[in-house]
Amino acid sequence: MNCMKCEEKAIYEHNNLKLCKTHFLSYFEDKVAKTIKKFNLYEKGDKVCVAASGGKDSLAVLYMTSKYCKKHHIDFFALAIDEGIGGYRDHTLDDLRAFCETHGIQLEVASFHSSFGQTLDMIRDDAIKNHNKKPCTVCGVMRRTLLNRNAKRLGATKLATGHNLDDESQSFCMNLFKGNMRHNASLGPITGINQHANFVTRVKPLYYILEKETRLYTFLKGFKVEFTECPNIDLSFRSVIRDKLNELESQFPGTKNGIVNAFMDALPDLKEKYRGKNDYKVCERCSDPCSGKICNACKLEEQLCRA
Amino acid sequence: MKHCEHVYGTKMEVFIEKSKQTLQHKPCTGAQLLKSLDINPQTVLLVRNDEVVLDHEELSEDDKVKILSVVSGG
């Protein structure tokens, strides 16, 4: 089967798209650049902080950010969070350090241990047994807090993440199935604009990119990405939704695109409906933005890290 | 459809990244290989002799096949 744009052999086929290596790389990069421009994810005067883990999504978003920001003279750097998950994060951080060195990218690292006094491995069992908290919930809250806190501290105006079409369709479905449409109003390619002075605006340049496309891109570019799956992933609701959506995508190609396109169509109405209900206050303990008096990270820190 | 089986002693070598397993498999198409291993094509890249191939392509004896996992992270 040949590429739909030239006579070369196709190496990517999805939903009527058939592309050779050269045209797949162009398709990927154009799609990301268009997303950045369409939603003004990066603008002149911005200082972009890329949340990086060393996994394929973060390497792709870091590389594309580097390419775009260098071309448009926008400051950027990478920020990694070391949660302390043995046999997982230590490997991806090694890959990330090597990648940043090769591409001349400034890398900052913050850790659960230095910030909360404990690693995720140290509090994992206590969280499950005594507090009925899944490790992914604990990790997600603390990780988001450290990303925002450190991005702010380092002067970032935008916080870029490697969230892709799979992630977004999963998040939408998770909120839908839990009857939590209010949280869906907080999704989208750019979030947190003017939400709070202490909240760094979050952007998702890979918003319309499938996870499989990112893996293919990193493979074709020769980025060192070894398969590493978080040992806690099977405990999450997300993994169940992820598998179901992959089954649907296999049977009905374009399902994930359809979900996100339908969501984007409804997003203005969702934002209007929940206007003011997702507003942030300030945590009484750490001054981070939060919805109540005490932020979730401070609550978890008290429950799990000070026992 | 001709179903293929993973049989020891044949020449096509298949490495599965997720389970870090290497096995021998009868030659077949990529789609047949994934079906016989119960792997959803959406979740993997199929690589033959270090080149990405589409699922419908034939995989032959002496080929070194890798099934790279798309899903990673947490």
Side-chain angles (χ1 to χ4, degrees):
Chain A
M1 184 187 296
N2 283 350
C3 174
M4 61 200 287
K5 298 195 173 193
C6 70
E7 296 304 310
E8 290 293 312
K9 181 175 165 292
I11 52 110
Y12 181 66
E13 182 190 17
H14 184 71
N15 212 13
N16 299 327
L17 207 59
K18 296 171 188 68
L19 299 170
C20 66
K21 178 181 174 178
T22 306
H23 283 110
F24 172 79
L25 291 173
S26 302
Y27 154 82
F28 184 98
E29 293 180 358
D30 288 351
K31 207 169 182 182
V32 176
K34 276 180 191 164
T35 302
I36 293 172
K37 281 180 192 160
K38 182 176 179 183
F39 299 103
N40 295 319
L41 303 189
Y42 302 156
E43 296 171 295
K44 291 257 189 252
D46 267 338
K47 184 171 184 181
V48 179
C49 169
V50 180
S53 64
K56 66 180 189 317
D57 300 302
S58 75
L59 291 190
V61 78
L62 188 52
Y63 181 78
M64 289 305 299
T65 298
S66 166
K67 204 168 172 172
Y68 189 93
C69 288
K70 280 175 183 169
K71 185 178 172 188
H72 293 87
H73 308 289
I74 296 170
D75 282 348
F76 72 98
F77 63 96
L79 170 64
I81 306 297
D82 181 359
E83 306 93 341
I85 306 172
Y88 170 63
R89 184 59 72 217
D90 37 358
H91 294 167
T92 64
L93 280 178
D94 284 347
D95 289 345
L96 178 63
R97 285 191 186 95
F99 184 87
C100 288
E101 204 173 306
T102 303
H103 293 89
I105 296 169
Q106 178 194 341
L107 172 65
E108 304 285 338
V109 182
S111 72
F112 277 22
H113 194 261
S114 61
S115 306
F116 302 119
Q118 305 274 357
T119 65
L120 189 69
D121 282 350
M122 291 160 79
I123 58 178
R124 182 185 180 278
D125 291 346
D126 182 39
I128 296 170
K129 283 179 196 163
N130 303 322
H131 300 278
N132 197 26
K133 303 252 183 241
K134 290 182 177 172
C136 296
T137 307
V138 175
C139 183
V141 168
M142 291 181 152
R143 190 178 154 73
R144 277 193 296 276
T145 294
L146 287 192
L147 282 172
N148 186 70
R149 203 178 277 175
N150 286 282
K152 188 80 190 164
R153 177 178 65 80
L154 295 161
T157 54
K158 296 278 172 64
L159 178 57
T161 62
H163 287 96
N164 54 40
L165 194 73
D166 290 59
D167 297 319
E168 197 74 353
S169 55
Q170 289 159 17
S171 296
F172 175 78
C173 289
M174 287 163 70
N175 291 332
L176 185 72
F177 294 159
K178 286 185 173 180
N180 202 345
M181 288 304 279
R182 186 171 69 92
H183 282 180
N184 274 335
S186 301
L187 297 178
I190 180 162
T191 57
I193 314 164
N194 301 327
Q195 221 163 13
H196 193 281
N198 288 346
F199 199 88
V200 181
T201 299
R202 287 168 183 254
V203 296
K204 302 169 187 169
L206 306 185
Y207 197 74
Y208 288 106
I209 299 284
L210 284 165
E211 189 164 28
K212 184 163 182 169
E213 293 175 332
T214 307
R215 183 68 179 93
L216 178 55
Y217 182 79
T218 55
F219 178 84
L220 296 175
K221 294 292 284 184
F223 298 162
K224 185 174 179 283
V225 180
E226 283 182 26
F227 175 77
T228 46
E229 191 170 51
C230 179
N232 301 311
I233 184 69
D234 286 339
L235 297 173
S236 74
F237 180 44
R238 181 174 292 275
S239 71
V240 176
I241 298 293
R242 179 186 73 185
D243 293 346
K244 294 292 174 201
L245 287 180
N246 278 331
E247 282 173 29
L248 282 170
E249 185 71 33
S250 202
Q251 276 184 280
F252 309 104
T255 294
K256 294 170 192 172
N257 249 304
I259 291 170
V260 169
N261 286 339
F263 161 67
M264 286 300 283
D265 194 37
L267 185 57
D269 291 336
L270 281 175
K271 283 193 181 297
E272 185 57 35
K273 180 174 168 67
Y274 294 104
R275 184 189 296 275
K277 291 178 183 169
N278 285 336
D279 283 353
Y280 286 84
K281 302 179 183 82
V282 173
C283 173
E284 288 177 0
R285 293 191 188 156
C286 70
S287 302
D288 276 359
C290 67
S291 53
K293 286 184 178 180
I294 309 291
C295 73
N296 286 334
C298 282
K299 285 179 194 166
L300 287 172
E301 188 179 1
E302 186 173 305
Q303 283 180 330
L304 303 169
C305 303
R306 292 182 188 166
Chain B
M1 186 207 248
K2 180 192 166 194
H3 285 277
C4 52
E5 299 162 3
H6 36 111
V7 175
Y8 292 93
T10 52
K11 284 188 177 176
M12 193 170 86
E13 186 179 292
V14 181
F15 172 71
I16 306 170
E17 185 184 41
K18 187 172 184 179
S19 57
K20 294 184 171 61
Q21 257 187 312
T22 302
L23 50 88
Q24 303 293 316
H25 204 289
K26 283 183 180 174
C28 58
T29 67
Q32 287 170 331
L33 172 67
L34 296 179
K35 190 170 182 181
S36 77
L37 296 171
D38 199 21
I39 294 173
N40 182 336
Q42 290 302 316
T43 65
V44 292
L45 287 185
L46 209 50
V47 176
R48 179 181 62 200
N49 305 326
D50 296 326
E51 299 279 339
V52 178
V53 291
L54 296 177
D55 297 353
H56 71 268
E57 291 186 45
E58 290 287 343
L59 307 170
S60 318
E61 283 189 359
D62 301 326
D63 276 343
K64 286 204 169 182
V65 179
K66 286 181 189 168
I67 299 173
L68 302 183
S69 189
V70 161
V71 178
S72 64

